[in-house]
Amino acid sequence: MKRRLGTSAVVAAGVAFAALAPAPAQASAPQPRIIDTTVITEVTPLGYKVTGLALEYDGAIDLGTADIDETAFAVRVALTRPGASPLEGARTVVDAYASDRPAFSDAQRAGSFIILELDENEPLSAGSYNEGGFTRLFDLVGSYSVAQVASVVGAAADTSHPGNGEKAQKLNGHPGRTVVNDDVIDLIVDDYAAGSYTAPSGATLPYRMFTPALDAESSYPLVVTLHGYGESGSGNIEQIAGNQLSVAFADPLRQARHAAFVLSPQADPTDPSKGAWWSPSMQTAVIELVEKTIADNPRIDPSRVYLSGLSMGSYGSWGILGQRSDLFAGALLVCGAGSEAAAVANLTEFPIWAVHSVDDSIVAYDAPGSDYRIFRALQAAGVPVTWSEWSGLLPDAEQEALAAAALTAAQADGSEHLFTTFSAGTTPLFDHGSWIPTYTNDIMIDWLFAQ
């Protein structure tokens, strides 16, 4: 704004003063400062985590190519849950850059946001907790605070010739001023629509549905996922946020390779109107929901419907396939069990890739009806089975190379049944977590979409 003189001063000085006075000065533009912050979460292979913050400023930010010092920001978290002391502490910023949107990016760009990427491996990155064996999500609204504690200086636009360069922008720090988040962006999870289905039997199925970007004419596969016992509940969110079972198929990189609908219902063993996946009424309700989903969405290709379940969801998948394998084209099943007799009677030609840790302490590898025992029974009945084993701790690329070798062997043998064992002591987090390396394995998921 221009500085203005009072009226009496102008009259006293007269025209001569106006002629001799220096040009009016320009006041400095106010420095942009943080006015809002939003938590960004991701469902990582190791669970639901807070991996970033989007800081919104009240002015334009153009830092050019300058790197932002991550230590210019102090981030603290206080995670609360019923009946427990808060989990509090600092989070570590591993990258910072300006952006024109509240989203992660590979390049800095001018805008009104600064994105902070946080260390996802530190304990306070968790966005969920275990309560009585069930995965529950922290209420993350209001849980994060951030302050800019040091100045951030941009790069001048052009300093190669005197007089041509533009002054670098500087964002002053405000160490004593913190901003608390009032919103949460759940990457991928936010792209699902919520629904509920009540079967004629009375069983209720809350579900989430992901719809791909549809073109004018194509039809698309449908992937049905059945979660494990830990993701049971009534929130209609844990089954897609608890682990990568569902979001692995909705991930943008996966959708670019295999665009598909994803249907993820939720069971609740503690609720008589819902139940667990091993309940016959729940299996019937899933079948009915799948049929209804296909009927309601003419863009779904009914010849390309796939089933994937882990742990309790694998139990349910074996039960459903024993009744209605005609509804599906293939299945990817992890650390579960079913009926050996039903599999031999109904699934000798149905494509299945199953995965199980040899030292699984929750669903024993060699227990009656286990995935492993089912595949042994199929082989004893004369069905070709391709066996493979590797460490679940190997880098993704190495596991995918071993999966590709197993698939090549299966194709050579004309086998529609593949079984992969994770060696003892090599399953990430704990011995039952076979799904962790499974849903990051592109070869296995590519195989499913090839059916």
Side-chain angles (χ1 to χ4, degrees):
M1 294 177 62
K2 290 184 178 180
R3 185 173 58 197
R4 300 178 64 184
L5 294 174
T7 303
S8 59
V10 173
V11 173
V15 175
F17 179 87
L20 296 173
Q26 296 286 334
S28 298
Q31 283 286 322
R33 64 178 186 172
I34 305 170
I35 57 172
D36 194 15
T37 183
T38 298
V39 161
I40 303 174
T41 75
E42 293 181 86
V43 183
T44 75
L46 300 183
Y48 177 72
K49 298 191 175 189
V50 175
T51 57
L53 294 175
L55 314 184
E56 184 177 4
Y57 283 71
D58 60 1
I61 300 172
D62 188 354
L63 302 173
T65 59
D67 288 332
I68 298 177
D69 183 357
E70 292 85 3
T71 64
F73 300 91
V75 178
R76 292 195 63 82
V77 59
L79 301 172
T80 60
R81 55 176 172 162
S85 300
L87 301 175
E88 300 179 281
R91 291 293 310 274
T92 304
V93 180
V94 296
D95 198 8
Y97 45 87
S99 180
D100 59 352
R101 66 200 70 182
F104 295 133
S105 174
D106 292 330
Q108 183 160 260
R109 55 173 63 90
S112 59
F113 294 92
I114 288 183
I115 306 301
L116 306 182
E117 295 187 11
L118 305 177
D119 181 359
E120 69 178 61
N121 296 312
E122 54 193 6
L124 285 173
S125 68
S128 63
Y129 60 95
N130 185 285
E131 181 181 68
F134 297 110
T135 298
R136 297 292 177 253
L137 308 186
F138 287 111
D139 181 0
L140 294 174
V141 174
S143 64
Y144 273 75
S145 63
V146 61
Q148 184 183 330
V149 297
S151 296
V152 172
V153 181
D158 180 8
T159 58
S160 58
H161 297 88
N164 288 348
E166 294 183 9
K167 185 177 180 180
Q169 186 180 26
K170 179 180 179 182
L171 303 178
N172 291 331
H174 300 87
R177 183 175 181 274
T178 62
V179 178
V180 177
N181 78 294
D182 61 4
D183 201 2
V184 179
I185 295 173
D186 293 313
L187 298 181
I188 304 179
V189 170
D190 285 342
D191 297 330
Y192 285 72
S196 181
Y197 171 71
T198 301
S201 64
T204 300
L205 279 183
Y207 65 86
R208 292 278 177 158
M209 178 81 165
F210 176 87
T211 299
L214 303 173
D215 65 21
E217 299 178 356
S218 299
S219 59
Y220 298 84
L222 169 65
V223 180
V224 181
T225 68
L226 296 184
H227 63 79
Y229 185 83
E231 292 71 57
S232 303
S234 58
N236 198 13
I237 188 71
E238 295 86 357
Q239 77 272 29
I240 57 173
N243 52 54
Q244 290 195 316
L245 163 65
S246 180
V247 298
F249 298 100
D251 183 277
L253 294 177
R254 170 55 53 189
Q255 286 285 314
R257 295 172 66 163
H258 299 293
F261 291 84
V262 186
L263 176 64
S264 302
Q266 186 179 33
D268 187 356
T270 68
D271 186 340
S273 71
K274 296 176 183 177
W277 296 135
W278 44 70
S279 165
S281 64
M282 290 293 280
Q283 294 174 13
T284 299
V286 170
I287 292 169
E288 293 170 352
L289 175 60
V290 172
E291 291 176 324
K292 183 178 186 301
T293 300
I294 295 170
D296 291 346
N297 295 273
R299 304 299 294 278
I300 292 175
D301 181 351
S303 70
R304 298 189 66 202
V305 180
Y306 308 115
L307 183 60
S308 190
L310 65 86
S311 193
M312 182 181 78
S314 181
Y315 278 84
S317 297
W318 283 114
I320 288 168
L321 292 173
Q323 304 171 58
R324 289 296 309 276
S325 61
D326 62 297
L327 194 57
F328 302 93
L332 178 60
L333 306 180
V334 185
C335 61
S339 167
E340 298 167 39
V344 171
N346 300 293
L347 301 173
T348 57
E349 298 181 0
F350 184 83
I352 302 173
W353 195 327
V355 181
H356 212 130
S357 294
V358 72
D359 56 347
D360 193 321
S361 61
I362 305 299
V363 180
Y365 180 81
D366 196 21
S370 69
D371 300 322
Y372 170 71
R373 291 283 286 268
I374 289 175
F375 272 69
R376 281 184 51 188
L378 288 167
Q379 188 174 53
V383 177
V385 173
T386 299
W387 304 92
S388 57
E389 181 173 349
W390 61 76
S391 165
L393 297 175
L394 291 173
D396 283 352
E398 292 184 35
Q399 294 196 54
E400 288 173 356
L402 291 165
L407 180 55
T408 298
Q411 292 167 341
D413 293 340
S415 173
E416 300 279 13
H417 297 78
L418 298 91
F419 189 94
T420 296
T421 300
F422 290 131
S423 305
T426 72
T427 307
L429 285 188
F430 68 131
D431 55 34
H432 187 51
S434 304
W435 57 84
I436 297 170
T438 296
Y439 293 107
T440 60
N441 193 308
D442 284 337
I443 299 301
M444 291 182 174
I445 295 179
D446 285 344
W447 169 87
L448 186 63
F449 279 105
Q451 307 312 310

